[in-house]
Amino acid sequence: DVKVTQSSRYLVKRTGEKVFLECVQDMDHENMFWYRQDPGLGLRLIYFSYDVKMKEKGDIPEGYSVSREKKERFSLILESASTNQTSMYLCASSFRHHTGELFFGEGSRLTVL
Amino acid sequence: GDSVTQMEGPVTLSEEAFLTINCTYTATGYPSLFWYVQYPGEGLQLLLKATKADDKGSNKGFEATYRKETTSFHLEKGSVQVSDSAVYFCALTKPASSGNTPLVFGKGTRLSVIA
């Protein structure tokens, strides 16, 4: 089975802290994605990557950056966390061509105080 | 841009009731359509999909038919169970021939089934 693992299920950080959310997949997928999930807003795409060292902005990239140094790992970085970034963050991966079949991790719930 | 609109929840049903969750879309070209499900405490997982008009996707007793004339992909199940309680997301993407795009999700519909 495909497994997408997010490093932390729950995090509590202070405003202004730098936050790293890590995601690892074990199926040699080319594509990886970061979404945030908020009540009433559904899933919104932050960044995605089609290959190592490449990245594309999604719908809400402001305040975030990403890193993909290895094919299996895609990191989301909050350079200076703010309270409006309190959310559930979901990582997903898929094969190269956009078939729409994403495999999701269990999510990382971030609270910024 | 492309978008998906699904009925707002929460939806509360008794066990064995009939379920419909409405989903309509706006997109140019020929999108593929999906339903994803998120059980409590878990990530999303693909429930079913349809890639062209009049296709019917089905899985675990759920069905949805791709209706291009009404731009809809409504999710149905004839008899829900308590274990179906989850959040359901409608989504679309376009194949490479129509301009590859990441999945676009609806806002989700929470379903609660009571015994």
Side-chain angles (χ1 to χ4, degrees):
Chain A
D1 281 352
V2 174
K3 192 162 180 66
V4 178
T5 304
Q6 296 184 227
S7 55
S8 305
R9 291 295 303 272
Y10 301 95
L11 303 94
V12 179
K13 299 292 181 181
R14 298 262 176 215
T15 301
E17 280 193 75
K18 190 169 186 176
V19 181
F20 291 87
L21 300 179
E22 307 285 344
C23 176
V24 177
Q25 50 93 4
D26 66 359
M27 276 300 290
D28 204 33
H29 285 166
E30 292 85 3
N31 302 337
M32 297 190 75
F33 306 83
W34 275 107
Y35 289 88
R36 64 176 282 177
Q37 180 179 11
D38 300 288
L41 296 177
L43 271 72
R44 293 178 292 168
L45 183 63
I46 305 172
Y47 268 97
F48 57 104
S49 170
Y50 293 128
D51 204 346
V52 175
K53 294 192 185 297
M54 77 78 63
K55 60 185 179 184
E56 295 280 350
K57 292 180 179 179
D59 300 318
I60 53 163
E62 297 79 16
Y64 303 95
S65 62
V66 290
S67 173
R68 192 158 181 210
E69 296 296 318
K70 294 185 178 181
K71 188 176 185 180
E72 67 271 18
R73 186 180 297 272
F74 192 37
S75 303
L76 180 69
I77 304 158
L78 288 67
E79 294 288 343
S80 178
S82 63
T83 55
N84 62 12
Q85 292 178 309
T86 292
S87 187
M88 172 69 83
Y89 291 88
L90 294 171
C91 176
S93 68
S94 72
F95 287 110
R96 178 175 300 282
H97 298 294
H98 270 304
T99 64
E101 297 187 48
L102 300 189
F103 296 85
F104 282 84
E106 292 184 324
S108 298
R109 183 167 294 282
L110 171 67
T111 301
V112 182
L113 302 176
Chain B
D2 300 339
S3 65
V4 173
T5 303
Q6 57 183 109
M7 63 187 287
E8 294 201 17
V11 174
T12 302
L13 296 174
S14 297
E15 212 166 18
E16 299 183 4
F18 185 87
L19 168 71
T20 300
I21 300 178
N22 291 337
C23 172
T24 57
Y25 68 89
T26 301
T28 57
Y30 302 93
S32 295
L33 302 173
F34 304 83
W35 279 100
Y36 277 78
V37 59
Q38 184 180 33
Y39 297 106
E42 299 183 12
L44 279 71
Q45 57 185 273
L46 179 65
L47 180 60
L48 54 84
K49 68 175 183 178
T51 57
K52 61 183 187 296
D54 299 324
D55 266 3
K56 178 186 285 188
S58 62
N59 186 24
K60 299 182 180 181
F62 290 89
E63 293 183 337
T65 301
Y66 187 161
R67 301 287 189 200
K68 193 164 178 64
E69 63 275 15
T70 55
T71 62
S72 65
F73 193 54
H74 304 321
L75 182 68
E76 297 182 335
K77 186 175 186 183
S79 176
V80 294
Q81 306 300 312
V82 171
S83 57
D84 294 326
S85 298
V87 182
Y88 292 83
F89 293 89
C90 187
L92 70 80
T93 191
K94 288 192 283 196
S97 60
S98 296
N100 242 347
T101 57
L103 272 178
V104 174
F105 286 91
K107 293 184 178 180
T109 303
R110 182 176 297 278
L111 170 67
S112 295
V113 181
I114 53 178

